Amino acid sequence: SGSFTFFNSDFSNYIERRAVILAPSAVGQLIGGQTITRQDSTGAVFTALSNSPVFVRANAGRLRLRGAEMQARFKITKELAINANGFLIRGTDLERNVAPSLENGIPPATGFAGIRWEPFGKRFWVEAYSNFADAQRRFSDNDFQQAR
């Protein structure tokens, strides 16, 4: 048995994480109770607490998520079964036509596959499985700014 689902979802006013950009000469001012210690050429500001710029969460424009999910389980014999699931999501900021700046990004194609042996009439089973993920190839500006 199994299932396969496609989806297409549009969102507006989603919350994104972005660097605080201020006018030049912000060094020395306070932000969130901390003194701005430096400012780069883009206007992003920094405090002594981190080497990363100061970030805020703000409502953004429009976002589209498209993807697919699948799940399957097949009995090969009475005692042996295989199962798998997986998903693929692609997100687009509809105003800039780039990957959206969601807080933790959009994961790459990811899934699970396994095989399970359940001897008939016994109180145990043996299962081997693996989780897998494709390489992450599509990043937002926010993904590059995060420390992970």
Side-chain angles (χ1 to χ4, degrees):
S1 68
S3 65
F4 203 90
T5 305
F6 291 100
F7 60 88
N8 180 44
S9 302
D10 287 357
F11 300 89
S12 60
N13 290 320
Y14 69 96
I15 297 173
E16 73 175 5
R17 180 177 178 260
R18 57 175 86 149
V20 173
I21 306 296
L22 296 177
S25 72
V27 174
Q29 296 179 31
L30 292 179
I31 187 164
Q34 298 295 315
T35 302
I36 296 172
T37 56
R38 70 183 179 94
Q39 186 172 19
D40 69 15
S41 61
T42 68
V45 295
F46 299 78
T47 67
L49 294 177
S50 174
N51 289 328
S52 298
V54 174
F55 289 98
V56 294
R57 287 167 183 81
N59 286 75
R62 297 179 315 123
L63 161 70
R64 176 170 292 143
L65 294 177
R66 288 183 173 162
E69 301 174 307
M70 67 77 63
Q71 175 273 321
R73 180 174 170 84
F74 300 102
K75 280 255 196 201
I76 298 170
T77 68
K78 285 184 180 181
E79 298 179 335
L80 192 63
I82 58 173
N83 59 55
N85 64 51
F87 68 87
L88 171 67
I89 301 173
R90 180 173 173 96
T92 303
D93 178 324
L94 295 174
E95 295 175 3
R96 297 182 300 148
N97 199 31
V98 296
S101 294
L102 297 174
E103 178 92 24
N104 291 312
I106 295 176
T110 303
F112 165 95
I115 186 165
R116 184 173 179 150
W117 176 62
E118 287 185 74
F120 185 74
K122 305 290 184 189
R123 298 178 72 182
F124 68 91
W125 70 87
V126 177
E127 184 171 22
Y129 63 88
S130 179
N131 293 307
F132 56 88
D134 193 11
Q136 183 77 322
R137 294 184 177 90
R138 194 161 183 262
F139 298 97
S140 72
D141 295 339
N142 180 48
D143 292 325
F144 290 115
Q145 295 171 345
Q146 290 191 36
R148 57 186 173 99

